[in-house]
Short mmCIF file of all heavy atoms in Angstrom, two decimals:
data_model
loop_
_atom_site.label_atom_id
_atom_site.label_comp_id
_atom_site.label_asym_id
_atom_site.label_seq_id
_atom_site.Cartn_x
_atom_site.Cartn_y
_atom_site.Cartn_z
N LYS B 18 74.03 -10.43 -72.46
CA LYS B 18 75.21 -10.88 -73.30
C LYS B 18 75.40 -12.35 -73.14
O LYS B 18 75.33 -12.94 -72.00
CB LYS B 18 76.44 -10.26 -72.65
CG LYS B 18 77.68 -10.22 -73.73
CD LYS B 18 78.48 -9.01 -73.52
CE LYS B 18 79.76 -9.07 -74.54
NZ LYS B 18 79.36 -8.54 -75.87
N THR B 20 78.26 -14.97 -74.43
CA THR B 20 79.60 -14.92 -74.89
C THR B 20 80.05 -16.29 -75.29
O THR B 20 80.07 -17.20 -74.38
CB THR B 20 80.68 -14.22 -73.95
OG1 THR B 20 80.06 -12.98 -73.54
CG2 THR B 20 81.93 -14.13 -74.49
N ARG B 24 85.71 -17.72 -81.45
CA ARG B 24 84.91 -17.35 -82.77
C ARG B 24 85.26 -18.27 -83.92
O ARG B 24 84.36 -18.58 -84.64
CB ARG B 24 85.31 -15.90 -83.12
CG ARG B 24 84.53 -15.26 -84.19
CD ARG B 24 83.21 -14.73 -83.68
NE ARG B 24 82.48 -13.90 -84.72
CZ ARG B 24 81.43 -14.41 -85.46
NH1 ARG B 24 81.04 -15.57 -85.09
NH2 ARG B 24 80.91 -13.61 -86.26
N GLY B 31 89.31 -36.46 -84.77
CA GLY B 31 89.69 -37.19 -83.67
C GLY B 31 89.95 -36.44 -82.38
O GLY B 31 90.12 -37.01 -81.33
N PHE B 48 71.13 -23.22 -74.53
CA PHE B 48 70.97 -24.12 -75.76
C PHE B 48 72.29 -24.20 -76.57
O PHE B 48 72.99 -23.07 -76.60
CB PHE B 48 69.92 -23.45 -76.70
CG PHE B 48 68.56 -23.15 -76.00
CD1 PHE B 48 68.37 -21.97 -75.27
CD2 PHE B 48 67.52 -24.04 -76.02
CE1 PHE B 48 67.25 -21.78 -74.64
CE2 PHE B 48 66.31 -23.81 -75.42
CZ PHE B 48 66.12 -22.58 -74.74
N GLN B 52 74.24 -24.72 -87.10
CA GLN B 52 73.61 -24.03 -88.32
C GLN B 52 74.52 -24.39 -89.52
O GLN B 52 75.65 -24.01 -89.65
CB GLN B 52 73.58 -22.48 -88.10
CG GLN B 52 72.80 -21.86 -89.26
CD GLN B 52 72.61 -20.40 -89.12
OE1 GLN B 52 73.46 -19.74 -88.40
NE2 GLN B 52 71.60 -19.74 -89.67
N ILE B 61 70.98 -29.17 -80.73
CA ILE B 61 71.85 -30.20 -80.42
C ILE B 61 71.51 -30.73 -79.01
O ILE B 61 71.15 -31.82 -78.67
CB ILE B 61 73.35 -29.79 -80.46
CG1 ILE B 61 73.68 -29.24 -81.82
CG2 ILE B 61 74.19 -31.08 -80.02
CD1 ILE B 61 75.01 -28.59 -81.90
N VAL B 67 71.00 -26.16 -63.72
CA VAL B 67 72.42 -26.61 -63.39
C VAL B 67 72.40 -28.22 -63.42
O VAL B 67 71.45 -28.84 -62.77
CB VAL B 67 72.97 -26.11 -62.18
CG1 VAL B 67 74.34 -26.70 -61.85
CG2 VAL B 67 73.05 -24.58 -62.26
N LYS B 70 70.20 -31.57 -68.50
CA LYS B 70 70.33 -31.45 -69.87
C LYS B 70 69.25 -32.38 -70.62
O LYS B 70 68.93 -33.38 -70.04
CB LYS B 70 71.66 -31.92 -70.28
CG LYS B 70 72.13 -33.31 -69.98
CD LYS B 70 73.49 -33.62 -70.32
CE LYS B 70 73.90 -35.08 -69.94
NZ LYS B 70 75.32 -35.36 -70.13
N LYS B 72 68.38 -33.89 -74.79
CA LYS B 72 68.78 -33.97 -76.06
C LYS B 72 67.88 -33.21 -77.00
O LYS B 72 66.65 -33.14 -76.69
CB LYS B 72 68.83 -35.52 -76.59
CG LYS B 72 69.92 -36.30 -75.83
CD LYS B 72 69.79 -37.78 -76.27
CE LYS B 72 70.88 -38.70 -75.54
NZ LYS B 72 70.84 -40.04 -75.98
N GLY B 73 68.53 -32.65 -77.94
CA GLY B 73 67.66 -32.01 -78.96
C GLY B 73 67.51 -32.89 -80.11
O GLY B 73 67.37 -34.12 -80.02
N SER B 82 77.85 -29.98 -70.78
CA SER B 82 78.19 -29.87 -69.35
C SER B 82 77.63 -28.50 -68.89
O SER B 82 77.81 -27.50 -69.51
CB SER B 82 79.59 -30.00 -69.11
OG SER B 82 79.94 -29.66 -67.77
N ARG B 83 76.98 -28.54 -67.78
CA ARG B 83 76.49 -27.37 -67.10
C ARG B 83 76.58 -27.51 -65.57
O ARG B 83 75.76 -27.85 -64.93
CB ARG B 83 75.04 -27.01 -67.44
CG ARG B 83 74.66 -25.64 -67.14
CD ARG B 83 73.31 -25.19 -67.70
NE ARG B 83 73.01 -23.82 -67.34
CZ ARG B 83 71.77 -23.25 -67.37
NH1 ARG B 83 70.86 -24.12 -67.80
NH2 ARG B 83 71.59 -22.11 -67.05
N ARG B 88 77.21 -21.02 -67.29
CA ARG B 88 78.10 -21.58 -68.28
C ARG B 88 77.57 -22.96 -68.83
O ARG B 88 77.13 -23.84 -68.08
CB ARG B 88 79.46 -21.90 -67.54
CG ARG B 88 80.54 -22.28 -68.54
CD ARG B 88 81.79 -22.44 -67.76
NE ARG B 88 82.21 -21.19 -67.13
CZ ARG B 88 83.09 -20.31 -67.75
NH1 ARG B 88 83.56 -20.60 -68.95
NH2 ARG B 88 83.46 -19.22 -67.18
N PHE B 89 77.66 -23.11 -70.19
CA PHE B 89 77.10 -24.26 -70.83
C PHE B 89 78.09 -24.72 -71.86
O PHE B 89 78.42 -23.83 -72.82
CB PHE B 89 75.75 -24.03 -71.44
CG PHE B 89 75.05 -25.13 -71.95
CD1 PHE B 89 74.98 -26.37 -71.25
CD2 PHE B 89 74.15 -25.14 -73.09
CE1 PHE B 89 74.28 -27.47 -71.74
CE2 PHE B 89 73.44 -26.13 -73.48
CZ PHE B 89 73.42 -27.31 -72.82
N SER B 90 78.66 -25.80 -71.73
CA SER B 90 79.77 -26.22 -72.68
C SER B 90 79.28 -27.28 -73.61
O SER B 90 78.58 -28.28 -73.17
CB SER B 90 80.94 -26.75 -71.75
OG SER B 90 81.44 -25.79 -70.96
N SER B 95 85.16 -36.76 -80.12
CA SER B 95 86.17 -37.10 -81.16
C SER B 95 85.74 -36.44 -82.48
O SER B 95 84.84 -36.91 -83.07
CB SER B 95 86.18 -38.72 -81.34
OG SER B 95 87.02 -39.02 -82.31
N GLN B 100 81.29 -32.55 -88.61
CA GLN B 100 80.96 -31.68 -87.54
C GLN B 100 81.46 -30.22 -87.88
O GLN B 100 81.35 -29.46 -87.01
CB GLN B 100 81.41 -32.16 -86.27
CG GLN B 100 80.65 -33.45 -85.79
CD GLN B 100 81.22 -34.00 -84.44
OE1 GLN B 100 82.42 -34.10 -84.26
NE2 GLN B 100 80.33 -34.23 -83.52
N THR B 101 82.05 -30.10 -88.97
CA THR B 101 82.43 -28.71 -89.36
C THR B 101 81.06 -27.92 -89.56
O THR B 101 80.24 -28.27 -90.37
CB THR B 101 83.19 -28.83 -90.84
OG1 THR B 101 84.49 -29.40 -90.44
CG2 THR B 101 83.34 -27.30 -91.30
N TYR B 104 78.42 -23.00 -84.80
CA TYR B 104 77.73 -23.44 -83.51
C TYR B 104 77.29 -22.17 -82.77
O TYR B 104 78.14 -21.29 -82.52
CB TYR B 104 78.64 -24.26 -82.65
CG TYR B 104 78.87 -25.68 -83.28
CD1 TYR B 104 79.97 -25.90 -84.13
CD2 TYR B 104 78.16 -26.79 -82.92
CE1 TYR B 104 80.26 -27.12 -84.73
CE2 TYR B 104 78.34 -27.99 -83.56
CZ TYR B 104 79.40 -28.20 -84.45
OH TYR B 104 79.57 -29.36 -84.99
N ALA B 107 72.91 -20.18 -76.91
CA ALA B 107 71.85 -19.22 -76.64
C ALA B 107 71.29 -19.55 -75.32
O ALA B 107 71.50 -20.55 -74.67
CB ALA B 107 70.55 -19.41 -77.71
N SER B 109 67.77 -18.32 -72.54
CA SER B 109 66.45 -17.70 -72.29
C SER B 109 65.98 -17.99 -70.79
O SER B 109 66.55 -18.75 -70.17
CB SER B 109 65.40 -18.31 -73.26
OG SER B 109 65.00 -19.59 -72.78
N SER B 111 62.77 -18.78 -68.13
CA SER B 111 61.71 -19.79 -68.02
C SER B 111 60.43 -19.35 -68.63
O SER B 111 59.59 -20.14 -68.85
CB SER B 111 61.54 -20.28 -66.52
OG SER B 111 61.18 -19.22 -65.83
N ARG B 112 60.30 -18.06 -68.96
CA ARG B 112 59.04 -17.43 -69.37
C ARG B 112 59.06 -17.59 -71.04
O ARG B 112 57.96 -17.44 -71.58
CB ARG B 112 58.78 -16.01 -69.05
CG ARG B 112 58.65 -15.93 -67.48
CD ARG B 112 58.19 -14.53 -67.12
NE ARG B 112 59.26 -13.58 -67.46
CZ ARG B 112 60.29 -13.35 -66.75
NH1 ARG B 112 60.57 -14.06 -65.75
NH2 ARG B 112 61.37 -12.44 -67.13
N GLY B 121 78.47 -16.84 -82.22
CA GLY B 121 78.66 -18.01 -83.00
C GLY B 121 80.14 -18.50 -82.96
O GLY B 121 81.05 -17.60 -82.90
N LEU B 124 83.56 -23.76 -86.48
CA LEU B 124 84.47 -24.86 -86.29
C LEU B 124 84.75 -25.60 -87.68
O LEU B 124 83.80 -25.97 -88.26
CB LEU B 124 83.83 -25.84 -85.27
CG LEU B 124 84.66 -27.17 -85.13
CD1 LEU B 124 86.02 -26.88 -84.47
CD2 LEU B 124 83.78 -28.22 -84.31
#
Side-chain angles (χ1 to χ4, degrees):
Chain B
K18 201 148 178 84
T20 303
R24 189 89 170 97
F48 310 83
Q52 186 175 25
I61 304 172
V67 175
K70 62 185 179 185
K72 294 179 180 179
S82 172
R83 194 164 180 202
R88 188 178 296 270
F89 192 36
S90 302
S95 178
Q100 292 178 309
T101 291
Y104 291 88
S109 75
S111 57
R112 294 185 298 281
L124 172 66

